[in-house]
Amino acid sequence: MSEIEHFSEIEHFDEDFARVERWIEQYFARPERYPVLPRVAPGEIEAALPDAAPEEPEPFERIFADFERVILPGITHWNHPRFFAYFATSAAPVAVLAEALAATLDVKVMLWRTSPAAAELETMMMRWLGKLIGVPENWTGIIYDTASIGGFSALAAARESLGLGIREHGASGRDVPVLRIYVTEHTHSHVKKAAIALGVGLENVVHVACDDAFCMRPDALHRAIDEDRERGMRPLAVVATIGTTSTTSIDPVPEIARIAKRHNVWLHVDAAYAGIAAILPEQRFIMNGVDEADSLVVNPHKWLFVPMDCSALYVRDESLLRGAFSLVPEFVLTTPERGVRNYMEYGLQLGRRFRALKLWFVLRHFGARGIRERLREHIALAAEFASWVGAEPGWEVLAPHPFSVVCFRYRADGMSEAEAEAFNARVMQAVNASGDIFISHTKIGGTYALRLAIGNLRTQRADVEAAWLAIRDAAAAAA
Ligand code: PLP
């Protein structure tokens, strides 16, 4: 690269960066100046963009102007304090600074050598987080982009641990038993995707029955495993969830762990959303039984104010994970160090982002105390919201709400299930059309439920009150 070209890359960087900094600052000061849900039609953004990359360089000024003109109007604002859909998440500004630094360094955390500080910070952050939520000290933590990929990796390790030689010989064209994975209807769908990718097959993902609180029934699990064994099938793994996606129910991990152990089956615990709550002493019990499991996933990018993406997988025996994935091509053999962790050996990816940096910044910025205060606030707000719903004639809370998510609906006397579903869907659409509030829905055992999730750093009581008012007004209008 010539000096002139190189210079052109950093020319005006200070002004451009200052411009972005000012924009970010005003954004974080008041993200609610934007509608939480954008008012764009499908295809509108695509149509506003040129059909091909520019031939000639463009000034930053013009690029940024288009960011504001074309992109921003089409953004769903997850940082908006009235974002109550799915799992509400938000980016701590301090993590944005870490992301800028990580992008600047642009290291690939594949080998220890490709960035020793990034590799060792990852080890330490997994230790810090593990201690905060009560992961057994001798487990190993690895950062992935998402819980889906962490969960897939854990199940790949489980498959390898069966000793069927699938890694070497594949699963086709030879006599390999049918593998089975045990979940419930409330387990997150990534387990089914993992079953597809691992050659287990969707029909071998077994739905174990739940109790009235939407939690896996240990007796049903026990029976399902026994029956499969009798049919010559091979149980591969049980996936228990702490904080299911729809209702945030908690599967009974201690009992499930006992059964998994008795049958010598891998237990993966999915605590993607709720695991962070174990930072609270009064919620630590949710981790009971995890020390008897084989792997656990928890997402700092869900309820720990770390921006997408950052998901932690902990495994009891890291050699099983390495055994599933380690494949060292010749060109990375330029790493003579011994006794170091080369993170590329623990998953599909070779190059990996420097995600530990933002986790480090966030944990230090808030401190454990600051995080606890915010989680407690979210849980208390959800409880208060549920009490308002429960006290209002015609409204009902549809599931226990151990964390910060409430499932509820309106159902007037005499309304059929189908009418209640249509009515609540209309309420949700009206609330979301306002652009002020964003809620989502789910189905719980076939029952249509509205769902309010609290988890945003900026959400205050007034925002939750506004949501309840808007929901009631929409219901009154729809009646
Ligand atoms: N597990 C649970 C319980 C979830 O609720 C979710 C997403 O909401 C996931 C896994 C998937 O998380 P990710 O988006 O990190 O893959």
Side-chain angles (χ1 to χ4, degrees), residues 87 145-149 186-190 241-246 270-273 297 299 301-302 308 311:
F87 282 120
D145 54 355
T146 58
S148 303
I149 297 299
H186 299 283
T187 307
H188 190 266
S189 53
H190 77 272
T241 309
I242 299 176
T244 55
T245 312
S246 271
D270 179 358
Y273 151 71
V297 84
N299 273 1
H301 72 220
K302 276 199 164 59
M308 190 74 190
S311 176

